Amino acid sequence: MTFRRLFICAYLAINYLSSCTENTEELTPGISLELAEYRNSVISDVVYDLNFNLPEDPDVAINAELKLSFTLSSTDRDLVLDFNAGDELVQEVQDENGPVPFSVQNEHLVIKREALASHNHFYIKFIAGDRSLNRKENFLYSLFVPAKASSCFPVFDQPDIKAKYRLTLQVPAAWSAISNGPSHVSDSSSNRKKITFQETLPISSYLFAFAAGEFQAITKEINGRELTMYHRETDQDRVERNSGAIFDWHIKSLEWLEEYTGIPYPFGKFHFVLLPSFQFGGMEHPGAIFYKSSSLFLDESHTLTEELRRARLIAHETAHMWFGDLVTMKWFDDVWLKEVFANFMAAKIVQPNYPQINHDLQFIMSHYPGAYAVDRTQGSHPIQQPLDNLKAAGSLYGAIIYQKAPIVMRMLEDNMGEQAFQTGIRTYLEKYQFANASWDDLIGILSQNTDYKLDRWNNHWVKSPEMPHIRYNMRQKRDTINKFDLFTYRKDEQSNIWWPQKLELLLGWADSAHHIEVNKTSRRLNVAEGIGLPFPEYVFTNSDGAGYGYFSMKSASIEYYLENIHEETDEVIRGAVWMSLYENMLYGKVDPERFAMALMNNIVTEQEPLIVSYLMDVLKQTFWIYLNDNQRDMIIPRLEGVLLNRLLSTENDNLRTTYFRALTTFTFTAKGTQLLHSIYLDKMEIPDLLFSENDKIKLAYELAVREVEGCQRLMEDRFQKIENPDRRDRMRFVMQALSADEQDRDTFFNSLKDVVNRSNEEWVLEALYYLHHPLRTSESAKYIKESLELLEEIAETGDIFFPKRWLDRTLENHQSEEAEDAVRQFLYDHNKYRSDLKNKLLQSSDHLFRSENVRQSWGELKRKESLEDDKGE
């Protein structure tokens, strides 16, 4: 071989290896930030023309075709599409000239650069992936958030490549179909029909959606708008009882948002679909919002809190049409941005329509407990989280996004002023409509409308983890205050991080109270307005409830409120104090038994449903986790009596339902269980208590877990009375976790190791609750280790909320050393565990690590309080 030929061969080999290396770096599983940024820089004008042939049998493969059109500004690299359904499912790729070479590797479909041009049209035949197509008996629906469209069809599955979608579905003749655009039916026969949907406006891949199956449709025209609701509910009374409110709230939300944003509803068609056992409360696909059916079709026995929750959910999903759909985040590290605006706007929309509700209290009770439940743990994280690969995008979702971020946004609006804030939001939506924008883009716009130091606020509240710990140091001289300092610090007290916020302080005496407003812009603040006032008998440093953090209370204040909180007439103060007392208990400053008794005493006197609901929640946590067996045995007879008395005596329909549900939660004495059995059998009537079918089912479950005589037959009888096929299927599944035979429960748990048996996540979560019911934790602790071993697979195969909910349902009722040891051993064995899932585990297991300390050492921590006063900075 000549030198020249050797040189040419070497040159070609080097270039080949270079091109392989270039693309190998991109072709990691998932969608790396580097790949996404490159594609966004060169790809534009994308149109997906999709055709799915949907069989009636959910086990039969779905044949599909895609015509993909797009423009490329550079053809220097191979084209990388995302497709993680399976390497063998792509059957053919062609352009206008015939077949083109392709490969499927590391969850990507790769088309060689030689086949690329400035303007491209590719035709791809493939088998659709099942993972994000929730296929049930007689219906299916897609769910592509956060980056799961690529588990169904080849796509550029990143939010900043917006595209137009054309869809054709071939379905059984009896089926309906819904997607983002308006539809047209053609080629109909006795067995099959073709439904074609018009091209959408530019949307991100996670917002493309379709559902098909046996649905009923209700169309209404209200104020010149046509809305259509699709559902599978067989109880027509249930449909008629709820449909008016459902349509009404969509119209109210649309009209309010158009007025606030100055932009008409941007997507034309407005349809929504109610799906049984949908994974989320709702999902904001433009033109085709999906909802969990039970979130909108409320039981006849629903509470005012549930009614308000429905209104907020509808307003939330409707707000997404502007915040998330019209303007979309560039990358999923800013997914919180669309969620915070949807929550924030929903609160504004709903508030005027419920004048009987204290909305400041409602905001506090809806957001703060959930946010604190994460921020107090070792798994705390910032609102804005880093994300290197969209494969992990699902782990970003959680209480910090949905509960803490709206609190922070309300702070921002308060500091800027409502008008300046609204002006900035309108500018943002107008500038980036049908495009993408980041949080920093928004901050840049808002900064132009205010003198407030947004950068400092942003760094502390959005980009830093955890929450502030606030304590005060007060000294007296001749019965007056001569020193009053307010400190903000991180829980380790070593960090320079602090959180600027406005606070309202309450100083109280036997016959009066004084409020002081402060704007805390430093770690240490001298409260000059307090100097010279009489030394208070009690102090609370968050009396308007708007401050966020752990507000450390002194023993005198704790004792005062435990004894006298029922005398406080301001509902917001009562709610905020209860929240703070609970947090102080978790930090070891309140005796759990003393706290439980105070909760029980105040259930008798409290009339505000929002506070009663919160008291029940924290009583449940305190009772089952922070009390020992002896303490529970001492309290439960009285608690059962209190709840029954309130159930029989209250005239408030919402409270009546709340008390009954609490009674079924706490009751476990023989006498109390017999009472529940009598209620179930209609041998004891509770005046004015409405029993829905779901209430009967849940009571049957609670009797089964208490192993009343004949409980299995009782459940079977209840099952036979259910007419709705979706509810029948759900009960059949859940009953497996309620068997009186422990071996049967073992078999059921082992079945969950197969991903097929976890496909209906709502059913799994309900079954897990009863498998790990507080009365069965001694028998179910053995499942914890294997449940944790499944977590990575669950994150890979499940939807975005499933990993955290799986952990919660597994761990939430356990308090034993065996359970704690199982978690600690898992963390030790997996010391390099992926950080996002480790954080979720630390959040869900926080009570296990905390409970023994709370139960045993609160007195010791209390004695250290005097040392805390002298700490200073």
Side-chain angles (χ1 to χ4, degrees):
M1 185 180 293
T2 65
F3 176 78
R4 183 172 181 273
R5 290 182 66 187
L6 283 170
F7 176 81
I8 291 172
C9 289
Y11 175 82
L12 291 173
I14 290 170
N15 273 275
Y16 172 77
L17 291 171
S18 175
S19 67
C20 288
T21 302
E22 178 182 52
N23 284 292
T24 300
E25 290 175 351
E26 298 168 1
L27 296 184
T28 55
I31 300 140
S32 68
L33 179 58
E34 292 78 11
L35 172 61
E37 288 176 339
Y38 172 75
R39 291 195 304 203
N40 176 261
S41 70
V42 299
I43 297 172
S44 60
D45 305 321
V46 181
V47 178
Y48 300 96
D49 195 332
L50 285 154
N51 187 324
F52 293 96
N53 191 346
L54 303 179
E56 189 167 13
D57 187 339
D59 295 322
V60 174
I62 298 174
N63 291 307
E65 297 177 352
L66 165 64
K67 178 183 177 182
L68 172 63
S69 304
F70 59 94
T71 299
L72 272 179
S73 64
S74 171
T75 58
D76 290 343
R77 297 170 65 171
D78 296 346
L79 181 75
V80 178
L81 284 152
D82 310 313
F83 187 61
N84 62 5
D87 294 359
E88 72 287 354
L89 298 187
V90 179
Q91 300 169 324
E92 186 179 276
V93 179
Q94 295 189 27
D95 63 12
E96 288 116 327
N97 300 314
V100 298
F102 69 92
S103 63
V104 181
Q105 48 184 301
N106 278 344
E107 303 180 357
H108 299 285
L109 168 60
V110 181
I111 299 174
K112 300 301 289 183
R113 73 189 72 178
E114 290 80 7
L116 303 177
S118 296
H119 301 285
N120 298 271
H121 303 280
F122 290 106
Y123 305 86
I124 305 172
K125 291 181 68 174
F126 62 100
I127 304 296
D130 272 312
R131 209 177 94 197
S132 52
L133 292 182
N134 298 266
R135 303 178 68 180
K136 316 293 182 185
E137 191 74 27
N138 298 322
F139 75 103
L140 63 79
Y141 61 90
S142 67
L143 188 57
F144 294 148
V145 66
K148 292 186 177 179
S150 53
S151 68
C152 180
F153 62 93
V155 59
F156 304 116
D157 206 2
Q158 59 191 78
D160 60 349
I161 298 184
K162 289 196 169 185
K164 298 177 180 178
Y165 290 81
R166 303 170 188 155
L167 174 66
T168 299
L169 297 177
Q170 299 177 59
V171 301
W175 284 20
S176 304
I178 310 95
S179 187
N180 306 89
S183 64
H184 170 69
V185 178
S186 62
D187 298 341
S188 182
S189 68
S190 59
N191 296 321
R192 304 283 293 174
K193 65 184 176 185
K194 182 166 72 173
I195 304 175
T196 303
F197 295 88
Q198 294 179 19
E199 181 179 279
T200 69
L201 292 163
I203 58 175
S204 298
S205 55
Y206 77 91
L207 294 170
F208 170 60
F210 58 90
E214 295 180 359
F215 289 98
Q216 299 179 55
I218 300 174
T219 297
K220 291 188 178 183
E221 185 173 328
I222 306 173
N223 298 345
R225 299 178 193 269
E226 185 178 277
L227 288 77
T228 300
M229 174 176 72
Y230 295 85
H231 68 89
R232 287 176 52 82
E233 180 55 62
T234 57
D235 183 345
Q236 290 306 307
D237 288 340
R238 186 183 179 92
V239 175
E240 292 172 9
R241 189 172 63 247
N242 287 281
S243 59
I246 293 170
F247 278 95
D248 186 46
W249 272 112
H250 280 102
I251 289 295
K252 287 177 179 176
S253 301
L254 284 166
E255 292 177 346
W256 189 95
L257 285 155
E258 287 181 330
E259 175 65 26
Y260 185 88
T261 65
I263 298 174
Y265 172 65
F267 294 103
K269 187 192 88 168
F270 198 97
H271 290 185
F272 48 96
V273 189
L274 278 61
L275 296 160
S277 301
F278 187 55
Q279 290 91 322
F280 315 152
M283 180 58 206
E284 67 269 18
H285 314 117
I289 300 174
F290 291 176
Y291 291 104
K292 183 191 299 183
S293 181
S294 60
S295 296
L296 268 57
F297 282 153
L298 302 183
D299 288 335
E300 194 172 1
S301 60
H302 72 267
T303 65
L304 181 63
T305 299
E306 289 168 330
E307 186 179 316
L308 182 63
R309 190 179 299 131
R310 175 178 64 187
R312 288 173 62 89
L313 172 61
I314 292 171
H316 176 108
E317 301 305 335
T318 307
H320 271 311
M321 302 300 109
W322 285 262
F323 300 96
D325 296 4
L326 180 64
V327 179
T328 310
M329 66 276 169
K330 291 178 180 177
W331 189 241
F332 265 90
D333 60 345
D334 274 336
V335 66
W336 72 276
L337 184 55
K338 72 183 182 74
E339 298 303 333
V340 67
F341 274 118
N343 257 354
F344 190 67
M345 296 301 161
K348 288 178 175 288
I349 293 166
V350 170
Q351 181 169 332
N353 293 275
Y354 285 91
Q356 73 274 35
I357 289 177
N358 184 325
H359 288 281
D360 286 335
L361 177 67
Q362 195 277 332
F363 185 89
I364 292 167
M365 293 304 183
S366 296
H367 293 92
Y368 285 72
Y372 287 164
V374 174
D375 257 357
R376 77 169 77 96
T377 75
Q378 297 178 56
S380 174
H381 58 77
I383 291 175
Q384 187 181 54
Q385 304 170 67
L387 181 66
D388 295 328
N389 192 306
L390 286 183
K391 198 174 184 71
S395 67
L396 302 181
Y397 290 80
I400 295 299
I401 284 179
Y402 287 96
Q403 273 76 51
K404 183 178 180 179
I407 297 169
V408 169
M409 194 60 70
R410 191 163 81 157
M411 289 181 187
L412 177 59
E413 183 189 52
D414 182 54
N415 286 311
M416 288 185 63
E418 288 188 34
Q419 188 57 55
F421 183 80
Q422 182 181 5
T423 298
I425 296 305
R426 286 187 166 194
T427 301
Y428 162 78
L429 291 173
E430 183 68 31
K431 181 176 180 179
Y432 293 106
Q433 59 182 315
F434 296 109
N436 301 81
S438 69
W439 166 245
D440 291 336
D441 291 329
L442 175 58
I443 281 290
I445 290 172
L446 294 177
S447 296
Q448 299 171 15
N449 294 281
T450 183
D451 294 328
Y452 187 70
K453 296 179 180 179
L454 286 184
D455 287 343
R456 183 179 65 182
W457 173 89
N458 185 27
N459 286 333
H460 289 94
W461 283 106
V462 176
K463 298 179 183 292
S464 298
E466 301 178 11
M467 63 180 176
H469 286 215
I470 295 101
R471 63 177 175 82
Y472 64 92
N473 190 358
M474 187 181 293
R475 291 285 182 265
Q476 69 181 99
K477 184 176 182 180
R478 298 189 184 93
D479 297 328
T480 63
I481 301 171
N482 75 332
K483 181 181 181 182
F484 190 2
D485 291 325
L486 198 64
F487 300 102
T488 300
Y489 58 96
R490 211 166 174 171
K491 61 185 175 187
D492 59 12
E493 298 198 41
Q494 302 300 314
S495 172
N496 288 324
I497 292 292
W498 54 275
W499 293 259
Q501 62 177 319
K502 297 177 181 178
L503 297 174
E504 184 178 279
L505 317 180
L506 183 153
L507 281 63
W509 300 269
D511 56 353
S512 63
H514 182 77
H515 294 263
I516 301 174
E517 293 183 1
V518 299
N519 191 2
K520 198 161 186 328
T521 57
S522 61
R523 293 186 74 222
R524 176 175 182 166
L525 175 70
N526 176 254
V527 185
E529 188 178 333
I531 305 302
L533 291 175
F535 198 81
E537 297 176 19
Y538 58 94
V539 176
F540 183 46
T541 51
N542 188 28
S543 60
D544 65 355
Y548 182 84
Y550 165 54
F551 295 88
S552 179
M553 300 174 72
K554 301 295 177 69
S555 56
S557 300
I558 290 171
E559 188 60 30
Y560 172 83
Y561 278 120
L562 288 174
E563 289 291 334
N564 302 291
I565 191 171
H566 61 280
E567 296 180 359
E568 175 57 64
T569 58
D570 189 307
E571 294 170 343
V572 169
I573 294 178
R574 286 205 310 279
V577 168
W578 275 120
M579 207 169 296
S580 191
L581 286 170
Y582 180 58
E583 293 300 315
N584 275 264
M585 185 204 76
L586 296 180
Y587 281 95
K589 301 190 72 173
V590 182
D591 176 14
E593 186 175 14
R594 176 84 170 82
F595 183 62
M597 294 298 293
L599 289 167
M600 192 162 54
N601 292 337
N602 280 271
I603 286 170
V604 177
T605 58
E606 182 59 63
Q607 295 299 312
E608 168 51 55
L610 291 169
I611 297 179
V612 172
S613 179
Y614 176 76
L615 297 184
M616 294 299 187
D617 287 343
V618 296
L619 180 56
K620 178 183 177 182
Q621 184 79 207
T622 306
F623 183 84
W624 289 114
I625 301 301
Y626 296 104
L627 300 184
N628 59 38
D629 290 341
N630 291 333
Q631 290 170 322
R632 281 195 293 272
D633 289 342
M634 290 290 292
I635 287 176
I636 191 59
R638 183 184 170 198
L639 178 56
E640 289 178 1
V642 165
L643 292 172
L644 179 61
N645 178 269
R646 297 302 298 148
L647 174 62
L648 294 172
S649 62
T650 186
E651 297 180 359
N652 186 307
D653 292 339
N654 293 298
L655 288 178
R656 186 179 299 110
T657 300
T658 300
Y659 291 133
F660 175 71
R661 292 175 182 173
L663 189 65
T664 63
T665 296
F666 289 108
T667 294
F668 66 84
T669 66
K671 185 176 181 180
T673 301
Q674 183 180 5
L675 172 70
L676 292 180
H677 198 188
S678 297
I679 294 173
Y680 180 84
L681 296 174
D682 298 323
K683 293 181 178 179
M684 177 179 179
E685 182 179 351
I686 307 296
D688 300 317
L689 180 65
L690 297 174
F691 259 136
S692 68
E693 183 174 66
N694 282 328
D695 291 329
K696 283 282 191 178
I697 292 170
K698 291 183 185 302
L699 184 51
Y701 291 164
E702 291 292 343
L703 292 171
V705 85
R706 288 162 176 79
E707 299 185 1
V708 300
E709 184 178 353
C711 60
Q712 296 299 314
R713 186 178 65 254
L714 179 148
M715 283 198 296
E716 288 290 343
D717 291 344
R718 176 53 49 191
F719 174 79
Q720 294 301 327
K721 293 177 181 177
I722 300 174
E723 295 183 2
N724 183 284
D726 299 320
R727 280 198 286 278
R728 282 178 65 89
D729 290 343
R730 179 173 184 149
M731 186 172 184
R732 183 186 293 111
F733 182 90
V734 174
M735 283 168 61
Q736 299 174 86
L738 284 154
S739 172
D741 189 326
E742 187 174 354
Q743 289 187 344
D744 288 344
R745 300 199 299 273
D746 292 346
T747 300
F748 170 70
F749 172 76
N750 287 325
S751 75
L752 298 180
K753 297 174 185 177
D754 185 340
V755 64
V756 173
N757 295 321
R758 300 195 303 267
S759 60
N760 202 316
E761 295 173 3
E762 283 292 311
W763 298 1
V764 172
L765 293 170
E766 185 171 22
L768 281 177
Y769 172 77
Y770 291 106
L771 201 65
H772 294 276
H773 191 279
L775 296 174
R776 282 190 171 162
T777 53
S778 62
E779 299 167 14
S780 62
K782 62 185 177 183
Y783 304 135
I784 291 176
K785 179 180 183 295
E786 291 179 278
S787 295
L788 300 184
E789 295 290 353
L790 284 170
L791 185 58
E792 284 187 297
E793 180 184 323
I794 284 169
E796 179 68 24
T797 59
D799 282 297
I800 54 180
F801 299 112
F802 194 39
K804 180 61 166 62
R805 289 172 176 171
W806 171 273
L807 289 170
D808 286 344
R809 287 293 178 266
T810 299
L811 298 173
E812 63 188 349
N813 293 320
H814 288 275
Q815 63 159 200
S816 66
E817 289 185 15
E818 181 184 359
E820 181 181 354
D821 289 345
V823 176
R824 291 193 184 278
Q825 188 63 49
F826 179 84
L827 290 169
Y828 178 81
D829 293 340
H830 301 77
N831 55 20
K832 294 184 179 179
Y833 202 54
R834 53 185 276 195
S835 59
D836 57 337
L837 294 183
K838 181 179 179 181
N839 278 342
K840 292 190 184 301
L841 177 53
L842 290 171
Q843 294 161 21
S844 296
S845 59
D846 180 71
H847 68 277
L848 277 173
F849 304 148
R850 190 183 294 270
S851 58
E852 190 64 24
N853 178 67
V854 169
R855 287 195 299 269
Q856 294 186 1
S857 63
W858 71 272
E860 179 184 347
L861 292 173
K862 176 183 170 186
R863 288 190 293 274
K864 291 180 179 177
E865 190 176 70
S866 60
L867 298 176
E868 185 180 84
D869 288 342
D870 296 328
K871 232 186 248 183
E873 285 294 280

